[in-house]
């Protein structure tokens, strides 16, 4: 028996399951909150992309909506100077570490970064920050898809589906800090790993880091 | 309950009288205690110990050499204490093998305590001053460091003889809820850094649902310049074990863990010895002191990542996952290790627990300030005369700490700042020296109590470089999970690097400030949230130094290598001396036609060897900033 509660987001009253996460309540009611790492199926949100900040009445600081359980009468604002500032900085930080050049990107026009930029009127080029140069070799060893770590935003969605939906475990995070990356065991090419090329990871990548090879895209889908 | 406790009390009394018996047998004997905590060992305590043993054997004297921990006076290591019947116990600092032999000859055999080499006596006497006769002793008030360096950490009887484990007996005689209440009432705040109420944490865990709970001692100390937790574990491990056991009893746990980093091998060894001895005495394991309370402790070796000091990362690490923080809530006290309610307390926090149980809530609240009762333990390091481990009541001012307890700045230099609280802390200037040290006032000043590292900086320390140094540490220790910490600290570090090499621009200051605030507000865990503190505080208190680096392209403290040059002042240089030439590793110093020395700047690597080698009577080598000043000086002196 799940209790349904009423909450207010940006002045709009919506119903949601008590204890469910605010982010989903908003998204399912057509209220957009920027996000990259969130997955509804995850028992515990990783809360790592730091984009889904909102203001909740009674809380002094913005909170990430992917970790905020819904309670009766909750009053939420998805925009405020403080929230906008955090989202803008997080977005700019991510872009500074992301291979830009949308026109050449396989995810052009369906990229979540582009969506965030459009929704929040943010520039797709960092204005204050220098670009952090990374130069990973592109792994196109599999027949089905390409992994370009230069476009990866480390949201971890691919890793999660690989482990929990595809049940393969071919990829995970390695290294730490600025060197953190998605890799196979022993940092081998995907084709030399336990990857079954099922393509589940590609489907959840919000950016152009994982993309189907052109000729196969149609048949897989 | 009371019957059980009478039984426990009786078992304990027996243990204690045995321990006292052993102790009093030693009173007729000469004991040489050698401080062999890591600080002592690094300074050469093992050689000193060997010298004593050898000499005592050679001269066939009835004396015992015992290894103890650190009494806090690390500046004087290797440090020993001699207690000989008929004399006050005396401590000697900077002991070497020669002095060891002399002390055996003159004091152990010849009854001359060699006062000229003594540091202080331990107890009041008519012969020699004690530590409390020095300013440091006046301001210090030792609670959890009281026995450190005075008892053998590898001999449980010495701990029991000074009332050790009596607090446990005391706790076992109370309802667990009452123990929680007592700690709550004492207002003990977590010494790991954030200062959260320990009793409240315990209460949350005690009230959490579930038959299995855990208590964990967080000994993952990793701040640059901090060694309090290590020293306590090396000097008095039983105190921590007792605290952990009481916490276990209070919240209803039967398993405890000590999470200690493997870089602390000696601490690990001493904890394991202590655990073994406690089990042998029936103080740990099943049916402790016949009260029906089962509790055991396991040591977990962390592999040394700064972020693993953060509670949720520590839990991940213990569960065999990558040591990365999780989002809180749920807090570990509700859902922690293996999903069970878990208490995680710092080494120092747990060390206070037996004392509070033994001496009472009012005693504890009588020390320190109302909102931060008790003492503060600091690893006092940097440009201060008397480095070491100090314990002062909360509310003591930074000025007292640096100038009275620490004995002031080394080499009579000017004080510039204290970096308090490790990389999560901040740099506070002269004007902040009179604030009393407690959790809240430090936060107000922009720093944090942190785990207790305190680095004293003098006029030769560049604050931009210090900020860069600490940020370099946190940037390298960032786990990389969240956007703000992973990328934000990287950008801040890049900007700071550019400023220290003279490539900074004024707009960088604004970006630094903005980024710092956003990282503080937006990061997932405590590491990220506090990483900007060194930058925020240096921007707040030392903005002029940033501006000098950017606009003047000079480093006022003459520290940033790219912004300085070395110069030999011809008027001060002597033709008779070539100490600098010999000291230079890259042959950058040459003899001019007139016999004086000069530096080939193209070759110079600015290693600082030559000013150190130049005899003080000449003091001819100076640093200048900006680097071009050398050309002007050369023209002037041509």
């Amino acid at each position: 028996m799940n209790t349904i509660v009423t909450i207010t987001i940006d002045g709009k009253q919506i119903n949601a399951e008590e204890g469910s996460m605010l982010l989903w309540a908003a998204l399912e009611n057509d209220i957009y909150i920027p996000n990259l790492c969130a997955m509804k199926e995850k028992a515990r949100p990783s809360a790592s992309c730091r984009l889904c900040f909102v203001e909740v009445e009674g809380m002094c600081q913005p909170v990430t909506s992917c970790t905020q359980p819904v309670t009766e009468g909750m009053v939420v604002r998805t925009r405020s100077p403080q929230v906008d500032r955090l989202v803008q900085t997080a977005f700019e930080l991510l872009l500074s570490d992301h291979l830009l050049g949308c026109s050449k990107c396989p995810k052009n026009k369906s990229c979540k970064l582009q969506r965030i930029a459009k929704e929040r009127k943010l520039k797709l080029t960092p204005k204050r920050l220098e670009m952090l140069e990374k130069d990973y070799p592109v792994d196109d060893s599999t027949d089905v898809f390409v992994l370009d770590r230069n476009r990866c935003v480390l949201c971890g969605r691919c890793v999660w589906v690989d482990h929990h939906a595809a049940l393969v475990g071919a990829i995970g995070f390695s290294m730490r800090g600025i060197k953190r990356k998605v890799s196979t065991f022993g940092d081998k090419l995907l084709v030399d790993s336990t990857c079954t090329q099922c393509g589940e990871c590609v489907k959840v990548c919000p950016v152009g880091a994982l993309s189907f090879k052109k000729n196969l895209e149609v048949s897989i889908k | 309950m009371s019957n059980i406790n009478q039984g426990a009390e009786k078992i304990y009394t027996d243990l204690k009288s045995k321990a006292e018996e052993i102790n009093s047998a030693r009173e007729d004997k000469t004991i040489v205690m050698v401080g062999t905590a890591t600080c002592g060992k690094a300074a050469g305590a093992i050689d000193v110990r060997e010298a004593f043993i050898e000499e005592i054997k050679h001269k066939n004297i009835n004396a015992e050499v015992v290894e103890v921990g650190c009494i806090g006076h690390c500046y004087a290591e290797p440090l020993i204490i001699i207690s000989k019947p008929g004399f006050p116990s005396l401590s000697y600092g900077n002991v070497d093998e020669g002095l060891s032999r002399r002390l055996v000859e003159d004091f152990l055999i010849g009854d001359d305590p060699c006062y000229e080499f003594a540091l202080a006596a331990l107890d009041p006497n008519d012969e020699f001053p004690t530590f409390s006769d020095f300013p440091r002793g006046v301001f210090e008030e030792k609670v959890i460091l009281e026995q450190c360096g005075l008892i053998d950490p590898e001999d449980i009887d010495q701990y029991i003889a000074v009332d050790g484990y009596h607090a446990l007996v005391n706790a076992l005689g109370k309802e667990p809820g009452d123990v929680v209440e007592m700690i709550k009432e004492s207002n003990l705040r977590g010494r790991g850094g954030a200062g959260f109420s320990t009793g409240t944490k315990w209460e949350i865990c005690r009230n959490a649902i579930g038959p299995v709970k855990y208590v964990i001692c967080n000994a993952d100390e990793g701040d640059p310049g901090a060694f309090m937790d290590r020293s306590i574990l090396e000097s008095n491990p039983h105190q921590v074990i007792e605290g952990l056991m009481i916490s276990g009893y209070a919240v209803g746990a039967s398993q405890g863990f000590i999470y200690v980093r493997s870089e602390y091998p000696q601490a690990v060894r001493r904890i394991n010895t202590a655990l073994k001895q406690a089990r042998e005495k029936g103080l740990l394991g099943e049916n402790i002191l016949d009260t029906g309370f089962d509790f055991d402790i396991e040591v977990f070796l962390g592999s040394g990542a700064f972020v693993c000091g953060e509670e949720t990362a520590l839990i991940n690490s213990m569960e065999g996952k990558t040591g990365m923080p999780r989002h809180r809530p749920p807090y570990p006290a509700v859902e922690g290790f293996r999903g069970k309610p878990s208490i995680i307390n710092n080494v120092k926090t747990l060390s206070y627990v037996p004392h509070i149980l033994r001496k009472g809530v009012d005693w504890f609240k009588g020390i320190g300030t109302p909102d931060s009762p008790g003492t503060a333990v600091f690893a006092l390091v940097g440009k201060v005369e008397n480095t070491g481990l100090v314990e002062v009541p909360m509310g003591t001012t930074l000025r007292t700490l640096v100038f009275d307890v620490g004995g002031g700045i080394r080499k009579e230099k000017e004080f510039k700042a204290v970096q308090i609280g490790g990389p999560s802390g901040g740099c506070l200037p002269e004007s902040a020296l009179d604030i009393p040290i407690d959790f809240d006032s430090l936060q107000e000043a922009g720093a944090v109590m942190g785990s207790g590292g305190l680095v004293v900086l003098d006029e030769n320390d560049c604050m931009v470089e210090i900020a860069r140094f600490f940020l370099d540490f946190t940037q390298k220790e960032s786990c990389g999970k969240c956007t703000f910490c992973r990328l934000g600290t990287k950008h801040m570090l890049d900007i700071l690097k550019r400023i220290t090499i003279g490539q900074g621009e004024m707009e960088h200051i604004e970006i630094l400030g903005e980024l710092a605030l956003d990282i503080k507000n937006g990061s997932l865990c405590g590491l990220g949230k506090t990483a900007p503190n060194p930058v925020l505080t240096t921007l707040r208190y030392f903005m002029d130094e940033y501006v000098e680096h950017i606009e003047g392209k000079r480093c006022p403290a003459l520290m940033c290598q790219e912004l300085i040059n070395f110069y030999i002042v011809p008027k001060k240089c002597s033709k008779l001396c070539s100490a600098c030439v010999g000291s230079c590793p890259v042959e950058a110093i040459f003899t001019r036609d007139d016999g004086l020395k000069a530096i080939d700047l193209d070759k110079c690597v600015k290693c600082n060897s030559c000013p150190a080698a130049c005899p003080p009577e000449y003091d001819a080598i100076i640093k200048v900033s900006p680097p071009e000043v050398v050309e002007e000086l050369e023209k002037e002196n041509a």
Side-chain angles (χ1 to χ4, degrees):
Chain A
M1 281 294 282
N2 295 322
T3 321
I4 300 296
V5 294
T6 307
I7 63 170
T8 313
I9 305 180
D10 294 340
K12 187 177 162 188
Q13 286 210 339
I14 61 167
N15 295 325
E17 204 177 288
E18 184 171 28
S20 66
M21 294 306 160
L22 185 55
L23 175 67
W24 306 111
L27 293 177
E28 281 155 19
N29 286 280
D30 292 327
I31 299 167
Y32 183 73
I33 298 172
N35 69 91
L36 286 173
C37 70
M39 298 185 85
K40 203 179 176 184
E41 304 85 342
K42 267 189 183 177
R44 193 167 189 144
S46 69
S48 61
C49 73
R50 316 306 289 170
L51 284 167
C52 66
F53 282 104
V54 293
E55 278 201 0
V56 176
E57 219 170 79
M59 294 186 179
C60 51
Q61 285 277 336
V63 292
T64 45
S65 56
C66 68
T67 58
Q68 191 59 48
V70 166
T71 54
E72 174 64 45
M74 192 179 226
V75 179
V76 181
R77 277 185 300 157
T78 64
R79 305 295 298 267
S80 79
Q82 249 189 314
V83 164
D84 289 356
R85 176 170 169 173
L86 283 176
V87 175
Q88 184 187 335
T89 303
F91 186 72
E92 200 178 348
L93 285 169
L94 284 166
L95 281 188
S96 74
D97 192 39
H98 175 78
L99 176 65
L100 290 166
C102 295
S103 58
K104 287 181 193 152
C105 176
K107 264 286 170 59
N108 191 15
K109 301 208 167 89
S110 61
C111 169
K112 276 233 201 170
L113 290 173
Q114 288 177 330
R115 168 142 199 220
I116 296 166
K118 196 175 154 212
E119 296 270 358
R120 291 287 160 113
K121 301 201 167 39
L122 296 170
K123 290 230 164 59
L124 271 164
T125 43
K127 63 175 178 16
R128 295 177 297 175
L129 308 173
E130 302 273 321
M131 289 298 292
L132 297 171
E133 292 189 7
K134 47 182 183 181
D135 193 13
Y136 291 117
V138 174
D139 185 347
D140 58 358
S141 63
T142 77
D143 297 331
V144 183
F145 64 91
V146 177
L147 167 59
D148 183 353
R149 293 184 180 87
N150 302 303
R151 297 193 199 274
C152 177
V153 288
L154 298 173
C155 68
R157 292 164 65 94
C158 55
V159 173
W160 194 85
V161 293
D162 176 56
H163 285 243
H164 296 90
L167 301 174
V168 175
I171 50 171
F173 283 115
S174 67
M175 313 298 277
R176 69 177 191 195
I178 196 75
K179 292 181 184 155
R180 179 172 162 94
K181 64 175 181 180
V182 171
S183 70
T184 61
F185 185 70
D187 217 1
K188 285 184 263 193
L189 286 175
L190 281 161
V191 76
D192 297 326
S193 74
T194 54
C195 172
T196 60
Q197 308 193 14
C198 67
E200 288 300 317
C201 58
V202 186
K203 291 180 200 159
V204 295
C205 180
V207 295
L210 283 160
S211 56
F212 286 112
K213 288 188 172 172
K214 276 267 154 33
N215 50 342
L216 279 159
E217 195 168 352
V218 182
S219 61
I220 292 265
K221 275 182 180 169
Chain B
M1 202 71 200
S2 65
N3 277 345
I4 290 175
N5 200 47
Q6 274 168 14
E9 192 72 61
K10 182 165 183 313
I11 300 172
Y12 178 78
T13 315
D14 287 348
L15 284 177
K16 194 174 172 193
S17 49
K18 264 182 222 153
E20 279 170 339
E21 227 169 85
I22 299 169
N23 244 21
S24 60
R26 295 163 48 141
E27 272 167 22
D28 311 331
K29 210 173 171 187
T30 301
I31 312 261
V32 179
M33 295 190 270
V34 185
T36 55
T38 301
C39 48
K41 278 190 170 168
I46 294 299
D47 289 342
V48 169
R49 178 177 153 267
E50 295 306 315
F52 269 105
I53 292 175
E54 205 176 285
E55 207 57 18
I56 286 169
K57 199 174 154 195
H58 186 64
K59 298 271 160 60
N60 200 15
I61 321 163
N62 181 25
E64 195 185 340
V65 179
V66 178
E67 283 189 40
V68 294
C70 170
I71 62 169
H73 296 259
C74 304
Y75 61 92
E77 298 276 11
L79 202 145
I80 61 150
I81 295 165
I82 297 179
S83 66
K84 181 175 174 173
F87 292 89
S89 292
L90 289 162
S91 64
Y92 299 84
N94 302 311
V95 182
D96 56 15
E97 289 159 72
L99 182 56
S100 308
R101 285 196 197 94
R102 177 152 174 205
L103 283 167
V104 173
E105 186 79 33
D106 290 2
F107 187 14
L108 301 197
I109 302 174
D111 283 349
D112 167 16
C114 303
Y115 284 131
E116 65 272 35
F117 297 111
L119 208 59
L122 297 189
D123 308 301
N125 63 87
D126 299 331
E127 312 280 325
F128 203 73
T130 63
F131 280 118
S132 53
D133 294 318
F134 298 103
R136 178 170 176 144
V138 171
F139 292 100
E140 274 202 278
E141 181 166 351
K142 291 194 175 186
V143 175
I144 59 174
L145 297 184
E146 196 186 357
Q147 300 300 333
C148 292
L150 302 180
I151 59 171
D152 180 354
E154 300 191 30
D155 181 357
I156 189 169
D157 282 325
Q158 295 201 13
Y159 182 66
I160 294 174
V162 289
D163 269 347
Y165 288 106
H166 195 222
L168 175 68
V169 178
N170 198 326
L172 292 176
K174 294 180 198 288
E175 288 294 334
D178 293 341
V179 179
V180 172
E181 198 49 45
M182 194 171 170
I183 296 301
K184 210 175 146 191
E185 236 174 81
S186 76
N187 202 7
L188 171 65
R189 296 175 69 171
R191 270 18 182 208
F196 186 74
S197 157
T198 304
T200 305
K201 207 187 223 183
W202 288 17
E203 190 177 43
I204 295 168
C205 186
R206 176 161 173 73
N207 294 338
I209 299 150
V212 179
K213 289 169 188 177
Y214 297 107
V215 287
I216 301 164
C217 168
N218 183 351
D220 185 70
E221 180 177 61
D223 310 27
F227 47 87
M228 308 74 55
D229 295 355
R230 189 196 64 215
S231 288
I232 292 172
L233 288 170
E234 287 176 347
S235 308
N236 195 357
H238 286 288
Q239 182 178 254
V240 183
I241 291 169
E242 192 180 2
L244 189 59
M245 292 182 71
I246 295 169
S247 80
Y249 175 73
V251 303
S254 56
Q255 179 67 52
F257 294 90
I258 298 179
Y259 185 103
V260 55
R261 47 174 56 207
S262 53
E263 285 102 322
Y264 284 1
Q266 166 138 302
V268 173
R269 223 170 20 245
R270 288 186 174 168
I271 298 165
N272 278 321
T273 306
L275 289 175
K276 188 167 156 265
Q277 291 176 350
R279 276 187 211 112
E280 284 166 2
K281 294 268 179 194
L283 289 163
L284 191 65
E286 280 172 26
N287 193 17
I288 292 164
L289 296 164
D290 210 17
T291 57
F293 174 52
D294 300 335
F295 188 85
D296 212 337
I297 295 174
E298 211 176 286
V299 174
F300 187 96
L301 290 188
S303 41
F306 183 62
V307 72
C308 287
E310 201 277 341
E311 291 189 330
T312 57
L314 183 148
I315 288 170
N316 269 347
S317 159
M318 282 181 65
E319 289 175 350
K321 300 168 190 155
T322 318
M324 284 193 183
R326 305 169 180 174
H327 180 267
R328 304 185 307 172
Y331 289 93
V334 179
E335 192 187 320
F337 180 50
R338 296 178 183 152
K340 307 282 189 277
S342 309
I343 285 291
I344 302 174
N345 279 148
N346 176 264
V347 171
K348 291 178 286 304
T349 316
L350 290 171
S351 295
Y352 285 102
V353 170
H355 297 275
I356 295 171
L357 262 288
R358 218 162 37 225
K359 297 176 204 157
V361 168
D362 292 334
W363 161 82
F364 187 71
K365 284 167 116 174
I367 308 169
T369 62
D371 291 327
S372 301
T375 56
V377 174
F378 287 104
L380 191 58
V381 297
K383 308 286 181 60
V384 63
E385 280 288 350
N386 301 332
T387 54
L389 210 58
V390 300
E391 183 169 7
V392 292
M394 288 274 185
T396 304
T397 63
L398 280 167
R399 191 182 298 281
T400 300
L401 199 59
V402 174
F403 289 94
D404 297 318
V405 178
I409 309 302
R410 231 186 280 158
K411 292 181 186 162
E412 294 177 359
K413 300 263 182 183
E414 283 287 314
F415 169 89
K416 186 181 265 183
V418 288
Q419 155 70 28
I420 190 167
S424 335
C427 298
L428 302 180
E430 167 87 39
S431 62
L433 275 182
D434 290 309
I435 62 167
I437 304 160
D438 63 51
F439 290 102
D440 309 316
S441 59
L442 281 177
Q443 200 135 26
E444 227 164 89
V448 293
M449 189 83 176
S451 54
L454 200 145
V455 188
V456 179
L457 305 170
D458 72 12
E459 56 189 285
N460 296 130
D461 290 305
C462 165
M463 298 315 289
V464 185
E465 168 57 21
I466 294 293
R468 190 208 59 81
F469 171 85
F470 280 101
L471 206 72
D472 184 54
F473 177 84
T474 29
Q475 191 267 329
K476 281 183 181 140
E477 291 290 345
S478 165
C479 80
K481 183 175 174 177
C482 89
T483 303
F484 282 103
C485 184
R486 178 180 74 245
L487 298 164
T489 56
K490 170 76 176 144
H491 280 289
M492 278 173 73
L493 180 63
D494 286 350
I495 292 173
L496 287 169
K497 273 184 190 161
R498 289 181 64 174
I499 297 176
T500 56
I501 59 171
Q503 292 176 7
E505 284 155 34
M506 281 310 279
E507 62 174 28
H508 281 150
I509 291 179
E510 200 183 328
I511 299 173
L512 264 185
E514 287 171 4
L515 273 179
L517 277 182
D518 293 343
I519 296 166
K520 200 179 168 95
N521 292 328
S523 288
L524 173 64
C525 87
L527 190 153
K529 283 179 193 298
T530 57
N533 281 346
V535 175
L536 283 168
T537 46
T538 46
L539 283 175
R540 175 165 159 190
Y541 296 117
F542 301 96
M543 178 61 90
D544 53 329
E545 290 196 35
Y546 280 88
V547 175
E548 284 275 12
H549 280 74
I550 294 169
E551 292 198 323
K553 305 285 176 214
R554 63 181 289 267
C555 173
L558 303 170
M559 192 185 196
C560 296
Q561 292 224 351
E562 300 285 334
L563 301 181
I564 59 164
N565 258 332
F566 287 78
Y567 179 69
I568 301 178
V569 183
K571 274 181 204 148
K572 290 171 142 191
C573 182
S574 163
K575 288 176 192 174
L576 305 171
C577 164
S578 34
C580 56
V581 180
S583 77
C584 180
V586 293
E587 295 178 6
I589 304 181
F590 61 93
T591 308
R592 311 194 310 191
D593 293 343
D594 57 6
L596 300 176
K597 310 295 177 294
I599 302 173
D600 180 347
L601 293 178
D602 291 334
K603 287 186 185 168
C604 176
V605 290
K606 303 172 188 176
C607 68
N608 246 332
S609 304
C610 55
C614 183
E617 61 266 38
Y618 304 134
D619 196 20
I621 304 178
I622 58 167
K623 290 191 238 180
V624 296
S625 182
E628 303 80 55
V629 173
V630 164
E631 286 152 36
E632 291 164 33
L633 286 171
E634 270 168 357
K635 264 181 229 159
E636 273 170 39
N637 286 297

